[in-house]
Amino acid sequence: HVARLLDGAVTLAPANAGTHVVGWVTRDSQTGTPLDVRVSDAAAEDDMVIFPLSRYYLGIPPDNGIVLGYGGLTTALIASGVRRLARVLEKVGVR
């Protein structure tokens, strides 16, 4: 479901348990603000909290990742969040 809605723009890291998952965002050719930060900032404008993975690195992260929380959410709320994330990705030019 996530892969279809996000059209390959985000690949979820394997996760068997927990409350968060890392989504690897397709690299883009823009320079300046890192892609994961742009996604996080655009999500905040839509009242979503998505953390850029680069926030957790001392150096340069290997790729653009976003930290997505899902703990305590129903499948319907997760699906709604994925649809909202798809719109955010379109806004920043990833999809």
Side-chain angles (χ1 to χ4, degrees):
H1 186 70
V2 173
R4 180 180 54 79
L5 284 174
L6 299 181
D7 196 28
V10 174
T11 302
L12 297 181
N16 294 324
T19 59
H20 294 79
V21 65
V22 171
W24 298 106
V25 184
T26 306
R27 285 200 177 271
D28 67 340
S29 59
Q30 292 187 15
T31 58
T33 305
L35 178 58
D36 64 335
V37 174
R38 290 196 329 264
V39 170
S40 177
D41 290 348
E45 292 174 7
D46 194 22
D47 295 323
M48 295 177 69
V49 177
I50 295 177
F51 296 110
L53 189 61
S54 60
R55 170 187 286 187
Y56 302 99
Y57 277 80
L58 291 176
I60 298 171
D63 212 342
N64 289 293
I66 52 177
V67 180
L68 305 169
Y70 63 89
L73 300 178
T74 64
T75 54
L77 285 173
I78 292 171
S80 172
V82 170
R83 287 190 296 275
R84 291 174 66 196
L85 177 57
R87 289 192 301 270
V88 166
L89 294 171
E90 287 178 15
K91 185 176 181 180
V92 297
V94 176
R95 279 188 67 214

